[in-house]
């Protein structure tokens, strides 16, 4: 093998390596773009999660308020029933 053939072989190997490196660079750029896209989606999910958490908190408060209102109404109805039955707004006391 002559020196010229050796240099040609080395040059062909270097050319192959350059092509592989270019291919790897393209794949890396594609992966970077996908990662950036995933980061954006993740940020949107975090914002959505915070909104859902806020809405859940508000819903929980509404449920608690409704529960308190129902208890108050129930208590009032019991007081009104006693008043209607006894003619007095105070509950009847047991006498012995």
């Amino acid at each position: 093998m002559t020196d010229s053939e050796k240099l040609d072989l080395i040059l062909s190997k270097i050319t192959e390596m350059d092509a592989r490196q270019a291919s790897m660079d393209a794949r890396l750029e594609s992966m970077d773009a996908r990662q950036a896209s995933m980061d954006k989606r993740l940020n949107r999910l975090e914002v959505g999660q915070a909104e859902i958490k806020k809405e859940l908190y508000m819903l929980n408060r509404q449920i608690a308020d409704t529960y308190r209102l129902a208890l108050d109404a129930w208590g009032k109805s019991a007081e009104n029933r006693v008043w209607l039955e006894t003619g007095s707004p105070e509950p009847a006391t047991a006498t012995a």
Side-chain angles (χ1 to χ4, degrees):
M1 187 183 265
T2 65
D3 288 341
S4 176
E5 291 172 338
K6 289 179 183 178
L7 288 175
D8 287 341
L9 182 62
I10 291 172
L11 182 61
S12 69
K13 292 289 183 183
I14 290 174
T15 305
E16 287 177 23
M17 290 172 58
D18 284 343
R20 290 170 86 189
Q21 182 180 6
S23 172
M24 290 177 69
D25 286 344
R27 287 178 55 201
L28 208 67
E29 287 175 10
S30 171
M31 288 172 52
D32 286 344
R34 284 195 336 229
Q35 182 181 5
S37 173
M38 293 289 274
D39 287 343
K40 287 179 185 177
R41 290 176 63 195
L42 183 61
N43 287 337
R44 285 195 308 258
L45 285 173
E46 288 172 349
V47 169
Q49 183 181 16
E51 289 174 6
I52 290 172
K53 190 175 183 180
K54 179 182 172 184
E55 290 176 13
L56 185 60
Y57 176 76
M58 290 172 47
L59 185 60
N60 190 27
R61 285 189 53 150
Q62 288 175 345
I63 290 170
D65 291 346
T66 303
Y67 180 71
R68 279 189 222 100
L69 183 63
L71 285 177
D72 287 345
W74 184 38
K76 277 290 183 194
S77 69
E79 289 173 6
N80 288 342
R81 185 176 38 230
V82 168
W83 179 71
L84 288 172
E85 290 172 354
T86 63
S88 170
E90 298 178 10
T93 57
T95 57

